[in-house]
Amino acid sequence: MENQVTNLILVGTGGQGIVLASRIIAWCAFKSGFDVKESEIHGMAQRGGSVIGQVRFGKKVFSPSIPTGEAHIMLALEEIEALRYSHFLKDEGLIILNLKQIPPPSLDPSFYPKNVSELLRMKGYKILEIKAEDLAKNLGSTKIENTILLGVLSLFLPFSVETWKEVLTNFVPQKFVDLNLKAFEEGRNFAKKILQSRN
């Protein structure tokens, strides 16, 4: 247990910003004193294609790849991608599920599953649902959707709020720093309310 490694996967589609989100998480881990490995992004990175990122951190991490069934947390930016990659999760692993549907180009939209959350719960995973795009619109920009999701995720990772904000400040364009910091806090507050309601 002394060298426990935390395994995190991010899933979504091309154009959703998984590469940037993965790098922000990896930098937070690095600045928090952990050894970090971030995998290359798999799948087709063009807009609409399936994409997965993997981040592993701990006292010492030897491989960037997460074995099947070993991920602790999934950050799913799109619903069907959560289903596609759920086999990476541990039993009773946590899925932060963005309630957003982007049908793959090869799939007739009418065949898109209507009950993704329920299907994932039937597999035994813990689900935290969020409509990040709606929260982003309320703050004035859909471009901060991912930062809201990172705010939610931050409650489940051992990095200080200060570290998150420092890394976000370094990664987003200067003129959008304040908006992204608001989005991060919005995500944290949303997750806090959900967790409090479950206790």
Side-chain angles (χ1 to χ4, degrees):
M1 292 296 290
E2 188 173 315
N3 186 35
Q4 185 174 2
V5 174
T6 297
N7 297 320
L8 172 69
I9 62 172
L10 296 87
V11 301
T13 64
Q16 282 197 288
I18 285 182
V19 175
L20 179 59
S22 297
R23 286 177 182 163
I24 288 171
I25 296 164
W27 268 98
C28 285
F30 175 73
K31 285 185 170 290
S32 299
F34 294 101
D35 185 28
V36 189
K37 295 287 188 295
E38 178 193 354
S39 80
E40 294 181 3
I41 306 302
H42 300 288
M44 300 174 294
Q46 74 265 26
R47 189 167 296 276
S50 179
V51 183
I52 176 171
Q54 303 185 359
V55 180
R56 311 186 74 204
F57 64 89
K59 186 175 180 182
K60 184 63 181 174
V61 182
F62 295 100
S63 169
S65 298
I66 299 172
T68 297
E70 290 298 317
H72 301 91
I73 301 173
M74 171 191 284
L75 180 60
L77 280 63
E78 198 278 343
E79 293 180 41
I80 205 171
E81 298 303 325
L83 271 178
R84 188 195 305 270
Y85 292 110
S86 60
H87 60 278
F88 274 102
L89 279 165
K90 286 178 170 289
D91 293 339
E92 299 186 351
L94 170 66
I95 301 176
I96 297 170
L97 182 65
N98 188 26
L99 296 179
K100 184 167 190 169
Q101 298 184 352
I102 305 173
S106 59
L107 178 70
D108 183 326
S110 64
F111 288 108
Y112 195 106
K114 301 293 188 285
N115 56 339
V116 171
S117 294
E118 190 56 36
L119 291 171
L120 291 168
R121 286 193 178 93
M122 288 170 61
K123 291 172 177 275
Y125 304 123
K126 300 171 186 173
I127 312 294
L128 194 161
E129 299 172 339
I130 177 172
K131 294 183 179 180
E133 187 174 8
D134 289 352
L135 294 178
K137 286 178 180 176
N138 289 339
L139 288 176
S141 173
T142 56
K143 293 182 179 180
I144 53 174
E145 187 175 344
N146 287 8
T147 309
I148 289 172
L149 292 167
L150 290 175
V152 173
L153 176 66
S154 70
L155 263 66
F156 302 94
L157 297 179
F159 317 142
S160 71
V161 172
E162 292 73 24
T163 297
W164 278 103
K165 290 183 175 180
E166 178 188 347
V167 173
L168 279 168
T169 298
N170 289 334
F171 269 85
V172 303
Q174 188 62 40
K175 62 182 178 179
F176 297 123
V177 167
D178 288 346
L179 183 59
N180 275 273
L181 293 181
K182 283 182 185 175
F184 178 77
E185 287 293 350
E186 186 79 8
R188 280 184 66 84
N189 290 335
F190 176 89
K192 285 177 183 176
K193 289 175 185 174
I194 296 293
L195 295 176
Q196 287 168 359
S197 70
R198 293 179 178 179
N199 293 335

